[in-house]
Amino acid sequence: DAKTTQPNSMESNEEEPVHLPCNHSTISGTDYIHWYRQLPSQGPEYVIHGLTSNVNNRMASLAIAEDRKSSTLILHRATLRDAAVYYCILINAGGTSYGKLTFGQGTILTVHP
Amino acid sequence: KAGVTQTPRYLIKTRGQQVTLSCSPISGHRSVSWYQQTPGQGLQFLFEYFSETQRNKGNFPGRFSGRQFSNSRSEMNVSTLELGDSALYLCASSRSQGALNNEQFFGPGTRLTVL
């Protein structure tokens, strides 16, 4: 299965945009890119997912590079509630990862007031 | 609508005992997945059930088992508990099978401590 690489930690100030990068240089054409986050003392929470095109929802935007070897989760205005561990996960339709989320170490996002 | 519920929230057992954890998915969701979270190994997939059948399985020993009922509720069982089984056990539900193009909703977890 393709792997993802994320920075261990990032910091941001409240109300500023945050760009969380994810590298997945061995991504295959059928890998979906998912982002989940886990707030302290809670279960993970779905954020967004995409395949090839950029995606927007009420929580965030997902920018996918043209070659799909990297992607960026964008939080447009960080709030204190966005402080969490963010996981970038690849899921393949035909591979062993189908049907399950394989979590890496993720990026710990700290938001300063 | 109600989210994913897990019972009990906290559990203390001793080595050698067995334990059963319960998960009630969101109404209308037919898939339930289980994950184990520990400080050392992070979040690891245990198994997924869809329509009462196990559809996918992670790399855990046979002491870890599960089942799903006709109402989509799921239980997870761990037999012959070991100290290393102490963890947060998370359940996630989704409308259809798998996580490919499908949002998974996680419950708050059951904190299991093995003494």
Side-chain angles (χ1 to χ4, degrees):
Chain A
D1 293 333
K3 302 291 185 191
T4 62
T5 303
Q6 300 177 251
N8 289 332
S9 63
M10 291 185 65
E11 297 186 17
S12 174
N13 295 318
E14 205 174 6
E15 298 191 4
E16 289 184 354
V18 182
H19 291 233
L20 296 162
C22 181
N23 286 318
H24 28 78
S25 59
T26 59
I27 192 171
S28 74
T30 53
D31 280 333
Y32 280 74
I33 302 162
H34 285 244
W35 284 83
Y36 279 75
R37 70 180 185 181
Q38 188 171 22
L39 281 65
S41 303
Q42 294 187 28
E45 174 185 36
Y46 168 84
V47 178
I48 201 167
H49 80 278
L51 182 60
T52 56
S53 303
N54 294 343
V55 185
N56 298 294
N57 65 21
R58 62 175 179 80
M59 288 181 67
S61 295
L62 176 61
I64 301 173
E66 196 170 333
D67 63 5
R68 300 187 72 235
K69 293 183 185 300
S70 65
S71 61
T72 302
L73 178 70
I74 302 166
L75 306 178
H76 295 287
R77 288 184 66 197
T79 68
L80 296 178
R81 195 196 171 274
D82 292 322
V85 181
Y86 286 79
Y87 298 97
C88 170
I89 302 166
L90 300 183
I91 304 176
N92 187 280
T96 58
S97 65
Y98 178 77
K100 64 181 181 184
L101 297 171
T102 302
F103 291 85
Q105 294 306 305
T107 297
I108 301 171
L109 176 65
T110 302
V111 180
H112 299 289
Chain B
K1 85 185 151 177
V4 177
T5 57
Q6 293 186 243
T7 56
R9 292 294 311 280
Y10 301 91
L11 205 49
I12 298 175
K13 292 285 188 178
T14 56
R15 279 184 301 174
Q17 288 186 309
Q18 74 164 13
V19 67
T20 299
L21 312 181
S22 180
C23 172
S24 293
I26 292 171
S27 177
H29 285 194
R30 295 171 59 196
S31 171
V32 173
S33 297
W34 289 88
Y35 294 82
Q36 181 197 65
Q37 185 169 29
T38 60
Q41 298 298 318
L43 275 153
Q44 297 186 87
F45 173 79
L46 281 156
F47 29 65
E48 180 198 14
Y49 284 87
F50 179 79
S51 293
E52 303 177 62
T53 303
Q54 189 179 91
R55 304 290 180 156
N56 206 338
K57 190 176 188 305
N59 296 321
F60 279 82
R63 299 186 297 108
F64 291 81
S65 63
R67 59 178 176 168
Q68 187 179 35
F69 302 96
S70 59
N71 62 359
S72 295
R73 190 177 70 84
S74 177
E75 289 182 347
M76 191 193 93
N77 184 276
V78 187
S79 62
T80 319
L81 284 167
E82 300 177 358
L83 295 178
D85 297 333
S86 294
L88 179 67
Y89 289 88
L90 292 155
C91 158
S93 79
S94 56
R95 288 193 178 279
S96 53
Q97 181 185 346
L100 183 64
N101 195 20
N102 199 12
E103 177 181 350
Q104 292 202 346
F105 294 83
F106 282 79
T110 293
R111 173 74 62 186
L112 172 64
T113 301
V114 182
L115 302 176

